[in-house]
Amino acid sequence: MAINKPLLFYAVSFFIGCLSSFLFNINPIIGAVIAASFLCIIHFTEKTIFIVFLTCFLLCGIFSFNSYFNFCEKSIGQIRIVDKREYYIIGKCKGRNIFLKGNTKELEEGEKIKVQGKFQKDIIYEKGIVGTYYIKQYESLKKDFIYRCYELKSAIKKELYKYLEEDKVALVMSLCFGDTSLLSKEDKNVFTKLGVIHAVSVSGFHIALIYKVVECIAGLKLALLLSLFYVIFTGLKYSAIRAFIMIVILKLSKIVYKNYDGLSSLALAFMVILLFKPYAFMEIGFMLSFLSTLGIMLYNTRIKRVLYVLPSKLNESLSITLSAQIFTLPYIAFTLQNFSLGFILGNLFLVPIYGAIVVIGNLALLFIKIPFIFKLISFVLKNLCIAVQGGIYVLLKFCPKMTYLGVREGICLTIIYFSYVMIKHGKHKFKYLPIMAVITLILSYFTIFPEIYLINNTGINAAIIKYNTHCLMICNYDLEKGREVINIKEQFNPDKIVTNVNNDFKIKINKIVIELFNDGKKIDTLSIKKHKDKLIYYDIIDMKERAYYKIMFDKVYKRR
């Protein structure tokens, strides 16, 4: 495999280089161990010449990551405004992301400025932020192609507002032009629940669709040119760049009479993006894009064969949808930690309508200067958006609830996948490993002895009680602490939540009665009664830190 598909190994080496560099900055020992372990593995498994190449790519990854974040103030001269929101502004200088503060009120997205001010190094690895620049004064530079792209996007948004309501403009702008700033948090949650969040922000789906339509009308060269323009116009999204690189390689392979290898082209796209944005592997969108594509490439055909009894169109759509989840599901368990089977319904019924909106929405861009045609296109878009809203309303009636996926579930899925690969390669001893993993996972859901987690932070007071398969969360909190409460909820995944309880509140979990006393703002005392005549009682007044209690044989044990 190393000989037939070397790019796969080069991509992994480059990734390990970036990853070990990141970890080295957090903990030098861990970073060094990761890099050394990789070198040891290839030393004992590969030939000498191939080891040299892999080591070179590892070093390239290390160099790329460190050169990106080793940034000094002297390098700052001109900055491009790439993202302007209510609470922050991000600029780009020599490919690096920088927070902008100070004299920023009149700045516009896409604008290129010459600045004077002060730079403060403050690295946020996950976002590729190298620091904050405090602008004292700036000078706007000549409007270039990139600025015109942002200006055109703003112009079409303004025109759409003349004929469409705000929620429909938000959907069209997100689907067609990659502008998700208008989407509400509720809309994003709905799209996530239906598994179509990938379709409402520019992805490989959009690039492939635009390319295919233009190629049928105007041929290869113009299709590639317009696809490149579309990638730049929509903000150089990771999935769009990946799709464009893979399309270019596919078409070039036909021109030079070479066989196209999807996995190698995917690996090349992976390396190209990491070369310029070595922090990208820490962004969820980047990893989901590549993992879903990898799943489609490896398992789409196999799933098609299993679903051969279904009509061809349904088979094709369903197999792509399912195969895309194979590698993304464990990753979601470690990151987003929620999942819904609604993705099947969403991809089957909504994505085709989204495809129509993408094509017609981009036609609106072409006819923005012709009011009569633009108005007609807007009317069609309005009806398509109504169809989407109606479809969402109906699908949510049948869509299962979001399911919590955590680290335990992620580890179990990873073990199952690993065992499957080993069994396929003749290692049949691994067939028992998935059974053990599933049994261990099921047992982990069962709490034999009651557990109580107490949290008393500024503005948040909570008690989480776990017993058998139940988990109850009781909490009082200030409104501005809502985000922190959600984080606690995601950590413990309770099946019932009680908020802002009154005094003398009681609730029963199986045979245990939970009794809570408070002064209206703060949990003062929590008592647990297991039998009529037996009371386990303890105070948690003025608790200043997280505490953990376990009740065993009618005795309370405090643990840290």
PDB file of all heavy atoms in Angstrom, residues 334-361:
ATOM      1  N   PHE A 334     -16.213  12.506  20.033  1.00  0.00           N
ATOM      2  CA  PHE A 334     -15.131  13.142  20.787  1.00  0.00           C
ATOM      3  C   PHE A 334     -15.220  14.669  20.777  1.00  0.00           C
ATOM      4  O   PHE A 334     -14.561  15.318  21.582  1.00  0.00           O
ATOM      5  CB  PHE A 334     -13.777  12.718  20.221  1.00  0.00           C
ATOM      6  CG  PHE A 334     -13.417  11.293  20.502  1.00  0.00           C
ATOM      7  CD1 PHE A 334     -13.370  10.362  19.482  1.00  0.00           C
ATOM      8  CD2 PHE A 334     -13.149  10.858  21.791  1.00  0.00           C
ATOM      9  CE1 PHE A 334     -13.048   9.036  19.727  1.00  0.00           C
ATOM     10  CE2 PHE A 334     -12.836   9.534  22.060  1.00  0.00           C
ATOM     11  CZ  PHE A 334     -12.784   8.621  21.022  1.00  0.00           C
ATOM     12  N   THR A 335     -16.023  15.233  19.866  1.00  0.00           N
ATOM     13  CA  THR A 335     -16.056  16.694  19.725  1.00  0.00           C
ATOM     14  C   THR A 335     -17.442  17.275  19.992  1.00  0.00           C
ATOM     15  O   THR A 335     -17.697  17.821  21.061  1.00  0.00           O
ATOM     16  CB  THR A 335     -15.577  17.101  18.319  1.00  0.00           C
ATOM     17  OG1 THR A 335     -16.338  16.385  17.310  1.00  0.00           O
ATOM     18  CG2 THR A 335     -14.099  16.789  18.136  1.00  0.00           C
ATOM     19  N   LEU A 336     -18.350  17.148  19.028  1.00  0.00           N
ATOM     20  CA  LEU A 336     -19.682  17.737  19.164  1.00  0.00           C
ATOM     21  C   LEU A 336     -20.526  17.031  20.217  1.00  0.00           C
ATOM     22  O   LEU A 336     -21.360  17.638  20.872  1.00  0.00           O
ATOM     23  CB  LEU A 336     -20.413  17.701  17.809  1.00  0.00           C
ATOM     24  CG  LEU A 336     -19.741  18.465  16.667  1.00  0.00           C
ATOM     25  CD1 LEU A 336     -20.499  18.263  15.371  1.00  0.00           C
ATOM     26  CD2 LEU A 336     -19.652  19.952  16.998  1.00  0.00           C
ATOM     27  N   GLN A 337     -20.359  15.726  20.327  1.00  0.00           N
ATOM     28  CA  GLN A 337     -20.995  14.905  21.355  1.00  0.00           C
ATOM     29  C   GLN A 337     -22.526  14.900  21.277  1.00  0.00           C
ATOM     30  O   GLN A 337     -23.214  14.787  22.290  1.00  0.00           O
ATOM     31  CB  GLN A 337     -20.538  15.328  22.753  1.00  0.00           C
ATOM     32  CG  GLN A 337     -19.028  15.144  22.950  1.00  0.00           C
ATOM     33  CD  GLN A 337     -18.591  15.299  24.383  1.00  0.00           C
ATOM     34  OE1 GLN A 337     -19.222  15.996  25.155  1.00  0.00           O
ATOM     35  NE2 GLN A 337     -17.489  14.672  24.747  1.00  0.00           N
ATOM     36  N   ASN A 338     -23.071  15.028  20.075  1.00  0.00           N
ATOM     37  CA  ASN A 338     -24.501  14.803  19.881  1.00  0.00           C
ATOM     38  C   ASN A 338     -24.743  14.294  18.473  1.00  0.00           C
ATOM     39  O   ASN A 338     -23.983  14.590  17.550  1.00  0.00           O
ATOM     40  CB  ASN A 338     -25.322  16.070  20.152  1.00  0.00           C
ATOM     41  CG  ASN A 338     -24.868  17.240  19.299  1.00  0.00           C
ATOM     42  OD1 ASN A 338     -24.901  17.192  18.082  1.00  0.00           O
ATOM     43  ND2 ASN A 338     -24.444  18.316  19.953  1.00  0.00           N
ATOM     44  N   PHE A 339     -25.797  13.518  18.339  1.00  0.00           N
ATOM     45  CA  PHE A 339     -26.047  12.849  17.062  1.00  0.00           C
ATOM     46  C   PHE A 339     -27.540  12.575  16.933  1.00  0.00           C
ATOM     47  O   PHE A 339     -28.227  12.321  17.924  1.00  0.00           O
ATOM     48  CB  PHE A 339     -25.264  11.528  17.021  1.00  0.00           C
ATOM     49  CG  PHE A 339     -25.555  10.679  15.814  1.00  0.00           C
ATOM     50  CD1 PHE A 339     -25.064  11.029  14.571  1.00  0.00           C
ATOM     51  CD2 PHE A 339     -26.343   9.540  15.923  1.00  0.00           C
ATOM     52  CE1 PHE A 339     -25.336  10.254  13.460  1.00  0.00           C
ATOM     53  CE2 PHE A 339     -26.612   8.762  14.826  1.00  0.00           C
ATOM     54  CZ  PHE A 339     -26.107   9.119  13.579  1.00  0.00           C
ATOM     55  N   SER A 340     -28.038  12.653  15.694  1.00  0.00           N
ATOM     56  CA  SER A 340     -29.443  12.366  15.452  1.00  0.00           C
ATOM     57  C   SER A 340     -29.592  11.552  14.176  1.00  0.00           C
ATOM     58  O   SER A 340     -28.948  11.843  13.156  1.00  0.00           O
ATOM     59  CB  SER A 340     -30.248  13.662  15.326  1.00  0.00           C
ATOM     60  OG  SER A 340     -31.574  13.384  14.920  1.00  0.00           O
ATOM     61  N   LEU A 341     -30.442  10.545  14.246  1.00  0.00           N
ATOM     62  CA  LEU A 341     -30.735   9.743  13.048  1.00  0.00           C
ATOM     63  C   LEU A 341     -31.536  10.536  12.022  1.00  0.00           C
ATOM     64  O   LEU A 341     -31.786  10.047  10.922  1.00  0.00           O
ATOM     65  CB  LEU A 341     -31.500   8.479  13.448  1.00  0.00           C
ATOM     66  CG  LEU A 341     -30.667   7.408  14.154  1.00  0.00           C
ATOM     67  CD1 LEU A 341     -31.570   6.288  14.652  1.00  0.00           C
ATOM     68  CD2 LEU A 341     -29.592   6.849  13.227  1.00  0.00           C
ATOM     69  N   GLY A 342     -31.908  11.759  12.373  1.00  0.00           N
ATOM     70  CA  GLY A 342     -32.614  12.620  11.426  1.00  0.00           C
ATOM     71  C   GLY A 342     -31.793  12.946  10.200  1.00  0.00           C
ATOM     72  O   GLY A 342     -32.338  13.445   9.201  1.00  0.00           O
ATOM     73  N   PHE A 343     -30.481  12.679  10.237  1.00  0.00           N
ATOM     74  CA  PHE A 343     -29.637  12.974   9.065  1.00  0.00           C
ATOM     75  C   PHE A 343     -30.094  12.187   7.836  1.00  0.00           C
ATOM     76  O   PHE A 343     -29.919  12.645   6.697  1.00  0.00           O
ATOM     77  CB  PHE A 343     -28.163  12.688   9.374  1.00  0.00           C
ATOM     78  CG  PHE A 343     -27.786  11.228   9.365  1.00  0.00           C
ATOM     79  CD1 PHE A 343     -27.376  10.615   8.199  1.00  0.00           C
ATOM     80  CD2 PHE A 343     -27.838  10.471  10.525  1.00  0.00           C
ATOM     81  CE1 PHE A 343     -27.012   9.267   8.182  1.00  0.00           C
ATOM     82  CE2 PHE A 343     -27.492   9.137  10.525  1.00  0.00           C
ATOM     83  CZ  PHE A 343     -27.084   8.525   9.350  1.00  0.00           C
ATOM     84  N   ILE A 344     -30.697  11.019   8.054  1.00  0.00           N
ATOM     85  CA  ILE A 344     -31.169  10.218   6.914  1.00  0.00           C
ATOM     86  C   ILE A 344     -32.330  10.928   6.228  1.00  0.00           C
ATOM     87  O   ILE A 344     -32.350  11.094   5.002  1.00  0.00           O
ATOM     88  CB  ILE A 344     -31.588   8.814   7.390  1.00  0.00           C
ATOM     89  CG1 ILE A 344     -30.384   8.070   7.963  1.00  0.00           C
ATOM     90  CG2 ILE A 344     -32.208   8.023   6.240  1.00  0.00           C
ATOM     91  CD1 ILE A 344     -30.722   6.710   8.545  1.00  0.00           C
ATOM     92  N   LEU A 345     -33.299  11.384   7.023  1.00  0.00           N
ATOM     93  CA  LEU A 345     -34.446  12.093   6.462  1.00  0.00           C
ATOM     94  C   LEU A 345     -34.015  13.406   5.808  1.00  0.00           C
ATOM     95  O   LEU A 345     -34.478  13.746   4.707  1.00  0.00           O
ATOM     96  CB  LEU A 345     -35.466  12.381   7.567  1.00  0.00           C
ATOM     97  CG  LEU A 345     -36.106  11.167   8.252  1.00  0.00           C
ATOM     98  CD1 LEU A 345     -36.973  11.611   9.424  1.00  0.00           C
ATOM     99  CD2 LEU A 345     -36.926  10.370   7.248  1.00  0.00           C
ATOM    100  N   GLY A 346     -33.144  14.143   6.496  1.00  0.00           N
ATOM    101  CA  GLY A 346     -32.697  15.433   5.969  1.00  0.00           C
ATOM    102  C   GLY A 346     -31.997  15.310   4.629  1.00  0.00           C
ATOM    103  O   GLY A 346     -32.270  16.074   3.695  1.00  0.00           O
ATOM    104  N   ASN A 347     -31.089  14.348   4.524  1.00  0.00           N
ATOM    105  CA  ASN A 347     -30.337  14.191   3.282  1.00  0.00           C
ATOM    106  C   ASN A 347     -31.194  13.636   2.147  1.00  0.00           C
ATOM    107  O   ASN A 347     -30.958  13.941   0.979  1.00  0.00           O
ATOM    108  CB  ASN A 347     -29.128  13.282   3.515  1.00  0.00           C
ATOM    109  CG  ASN A 347     -27.980  14.020   4.181  1.00  0.00           C
ATOM    110  OD1 ASN A 347     -27.141  14.622   3.524  1.00  0.00           O
ATOM    111  ND2 ASN A 347     -27.957  14.000   5.505  1.00  0.00           N
ATOM    112  N   LEU A 348     -32.187  12.846   2.471  1.00  0.00           N
ATOM    113  CA  LEU A 348     -33.046  12.279   1.423  1.00  0.00           C
ATOM    114  C   LEU A 348     -34.024  13.303   0.858  1.00  0.00           C
ATOM    115  O   LEU A 348     -34.251  13.351  -0.357  1.00  0.00           O
ATOM    116  CB  LEU A 348     -33.830  11.082   1.989  1.00  0.00           C
ATOM    117  CG  LEU A 348     -33.054   9.787   2.208  1.00  0.00           C
ATOM    118  CD1 LEU A 348     -33.955   8.724   2.814  1.00  0.00           C
ATOM    119  CD2 LEU A 348     -32.459   9.282   0.893  1.00  0.00           C
ATOM    120  N   PHE A 349     -34.592  14.143   1.730  1.00  0.00           N
ATOM    121  CA  PHE A 349     -35.688  15.012   1.293  1.00  0.00           C
ATOM    122  C   PHE A 349     -35.319  16.486   1.154  1.00  0.00           C
ATOM    123  O   PHE A 349     -35.924  17.196   0.346  1.00  0.00           O
ATOM    124  CB  PHE A 349     -36.863  14.883   2.273  1.00  0.00           C
ATOM    125  CG  PHE A 349     -37.462  13.506   2.319  1.00  0.00           C
ATOM    126  CD1 PHE A 349     -37.203  12.659   3.379  1.00  0.00           C
ATOM    127  CD2 PHE A 349     -38.252  13.046   1.278  1.00  0.00           C
ATOM    128  CE1 PHE A 349     -37.748  11.385   3.428  1.00  0.00           C
ATOM    129  CE2 PHE A 349     -38.802  11.774   1.313  1.00  0.00           C
ATOM    130  CZ  PHE A 349     -38.551  10.938   2.381  1.00  0.00           C
ATOM    131  N   LEU A 350     -34.348  16.972   1.909  1.00  0.00           N
ATOM    132  CA  LEU A 350     -34.018  18.392   1.864  1.00  0.00           C
ATOM    133  C   LEU A 350     -32.881  18.728   0.902  1.00  0.00           C
ATOM    134  O   LEU A 350     -32.922  19.767   0.234  1.00  0.00           O
ATOM    135  CB  LEU A 350     -33.667  18.890   3.271  1.00  0.00           C
ATOM    136  CG  LEU A 350     -34.805  18.916   4.292  1.00  0.00           C
ATOM    137  CD1 LEU A 350     -34.305  19.476   5.615  1.00  0.00           C
ATOM    138  CD2 LEU A 350     -35.981  19.739   3.792  1.00  0.00           C
ATOM    139  N   VAL A 351     -31.866  17.871   0.861  1.00  0.00           N
ATOM    140  CA  VAL A 351     -30.694  18.170   0.035  1.00  0.00           C
ATOM    141  C   VAL A 351     -31.039  18.388  -1.442  1.00  0.00           C
ATOM    142  O   VAL A 351     -30.483  19.283  -2.089  1.00  0.00           O
ATOM    143  CB  VAL A 351     -29.615  17.081   0.206  1.00  0.00           C
ATOM    144  CG1 VAL A 351     -28.501  17.243  -0.839  1.00  0.00           C
ATOM    145  CG2 VAL A 351     -29.007  17.163   1.607  1.00  0.00           C
ATOM    146  N   PRO A 352     -31.967  17.605  -2.050  1.00  0.00           N
ATOM    147  CA  PRO A 352     -32.339  17.906  -3.441  1.00  0.00           C
ATOM    148  C   PRO A 352     -32.897  19.318  -3.625  1.00  0.00           C
ATOM    149  O   PRO A 352     -32.599  19.976  -4.632  1.00  0.00           O
ATOM    150  CB  PRO A 352     -33.408  16.843  -3.746  1.00  0.00           C
ATOM    151  CG  PRO A 352     -33.079  15.712  -2.840  1.00  0.00           C
ATOM    152  CD  PRO A 352     -32.594  16.351  -1.581  1.00  0.00           C
ATOM    153  N   ILE A 353     -33.697  19.790  -2.656  1.00  0.00           N
ATOM    154  CA  ILE A 353     -34.227  21.160  -2.753  1.00  0.00           C
ATOM    155  C   ILE A 353     -33.101  22.169  -2.579  1.00  0.00           C
ATOM    156  O   ILE A 353     -33.051  23.206  -3.253  1.00  0.00           O
ATOM    157  CB  ILE A 353     -35.329  21.401  -1.699  1.00  0.00           C
ATOM    158  CG1 ILE A 353     -36.410  20.328  -1.810  1.00  0.00           C
ATOM    159  CG2 ILE A 353     -35.951  22.785  -1.872  1.00  0.00           C
ATOM    160  CD1 ILE A 353     -37.491  20.447  -0.740  1.00  0.00           C
ATOM    161  N   TYR A 354     -32.169  21.865  -1.664  1.00  0.00           N
ATOM    162  CA  TYR A 354     -31.008  22.736  -1.490  1.00  0.00           C
ATOM    163  C   TYR A 354     -30.217  22.863  -2.787  1.00  0.00           C
ATOM    164  O   TYR A 354     -29.705  23.934  -3.125  1.00  0.00           O
ATOM    165  CB  TYR A 354     -30.097  22.192  -0.382  1.00  0.00           C
ATOM    166  CG  TYR A 354     -30.650  22.339   1.015  1.00  0.00           C
ATOM    167  CD1 TYR A 354     -30.212  21.521   2.054  1.00  0.00           C
ATOM    168  CD2 TYR A 354     -31.605  23.302   1.305  1.00  0.00           C
ATOM    169  CE1 TYR A 354     -30.713  21.660   3.341  1.00  0.00           C
ATOM    170  CE2 TYR A 354     -32.114  23.435   2.588  1.00  0.00           C
ATOM    171  CZ  TYR A 354     -31.669  22.607   3.600  1.00  0.00           C
ATOM    172  OH  TYR A 354     -32.168  22.758   4.862  1.00  0.00           O
ATOM    173  N   GLY A 355     -30.086  21.749  -3.492  1.00  0.00           N
ATOM    174  CA  GLY A 355     -29.367  21.777  -4.769  1.00  0.00           C
ATOM    175  C   GLY A 355     -30.002  22.737  -5.747  1.00  0.00           C
ATOM    176  O   GLY A 355     -29.300  23.500  -6.445  1.00  0.00           O
ATOM    177  N   ALA A 356     -31.335  22.736  -5.803  1.00  0.00           N
ATOM    178  CA  ALA A 356     -32.039  23.668  -6.689  1.00  0.00           C
ATOM    179  C   ALA A 356     -31.809  25.114  -6.261  1.00  0.00           C
ATOM    180  O   ALA A 356     -31.602  26.005  -7.100  1.00  0.00           O
ATOM    181  CB  ALA A 356     -33.535  23.345  -6.691  1.00  0.00           C
ATOM    182  N   ILE A 357     -31.814  25.367  -4.942  1.00  0.00           N
ATOM    183  CA  ILE A 357     -31.579  26.736  -4.448  1.00  0.00           C
ATOM    184  C   ILE A 357     -30.171  27.200  -4.788  1.00  0.00           C
ATOM    185  O   ILE A 357     -29.959  28.366  -5.158  1.00  0.00           O
ATOM    186  CB  ILE A 357     -31.815  26.791  -2.924  1.00  0.00           C
ATOM    187  CG1 ILE A 357     -33.295  26.552  -2.607  1.00  0.00           C
ATOM    188  CG2 ILE A 357     -31.365  28.138  -2.357  1.00  0.00           C
ATOM    189  CD1 ILE A 357     -33.617  26.521  -1.122  1.00  0.00           C
ATOM    190  N   VAL A 358     -29.185  26.305  -4.682  1.00  0.00           N
ATOM    191  CA  VAL A 358     -27.795  26.661  -5.004  1.00  0.00           C
ATOM    192  C   VAL A 358     -27.677  27.107  -6.456  1.00  0.00           C
ATOM    193  O   VAL A 358     -27.077  28.148  -6.768  1.00  0.00           O
ATOM    194  CB  VAL A 358     -26.848  25.473  -4.728  1.00  0.00           C
ATOM    195  CG1 VAL A 358     -25.459  25.752  -5.297  1.00  0.00           C
ATOM    196  CG2 VAL A 358     -26.750  25.209  -3.237  1.00  0.00           C
ATOM    197  N   VAL A 359     -28.254  26.332  -7.372  1.00  0.00           N
ATOM    198  CA  VAL A 359     -28.160  26.662  -8.806  1.00  0.00           C
ATOM    199  C   VAL A 359     -28.897  27.957  -9.110  1.00  0.00           C
ATOM    200  O   VAL A 359     -28.353  28.868  -9.742  1.00  0.00           O
ATOM    201  CB  VAL A 359     -28.720  25.510  -9.660  1.00  0.00           C
ATOM    202  CG1 VAL A 359     -28.769  25.913 -11.132  1.00  0.00           C
ATOM    203  CG2 VAL A 359     -27.871  24.253  -9.488  1.00  0.00           C
ATOM    204  N   ILE A 360     -30.122  28.083  -8.639  1.00  0.00           N
ATOM    205  CA  ILE A 360     -30.936  29.268  -8.952  1.00  0.00           C
ATOM    206  C   ILE A 360     -30.396  30.500  -8.229  1.00  0.00           C
ATOM    207  O   ILE A 360     -30.396  31.607  -8.763  1.00  0.00           O
ATOM    208  CB  ILE A 360     -32.407  29.009  -8.579  1.00  0.00           C
ATOM    209  CG1 ILE A 360     -32.957  27.887  -9.465  1.00  0.00           C
ATOM    210  CG2 ILE A 360     -33.248  30.267  -8.741  1.00  0.00           C
ATOM    211  CD1 ILE A 360     -34.318  27.392  -9.083  1.00  0.00           C
ATOM    212  N   GLY A 361     -29.882  30.301  -7.007  1.00  0.00           N
ATOM    213  CA  GLY A 361     -29.304  31.422  -6.277  1.00  0.00           C
ATOM    214  C   GLY A 361     -28.088  31.998  -6.972  1.00  0.00           C
ATOM    215  O   GLY A 361     -27.877  33.221  -6.983  1.00  0.00           O
TER     216      GLY A 361
END
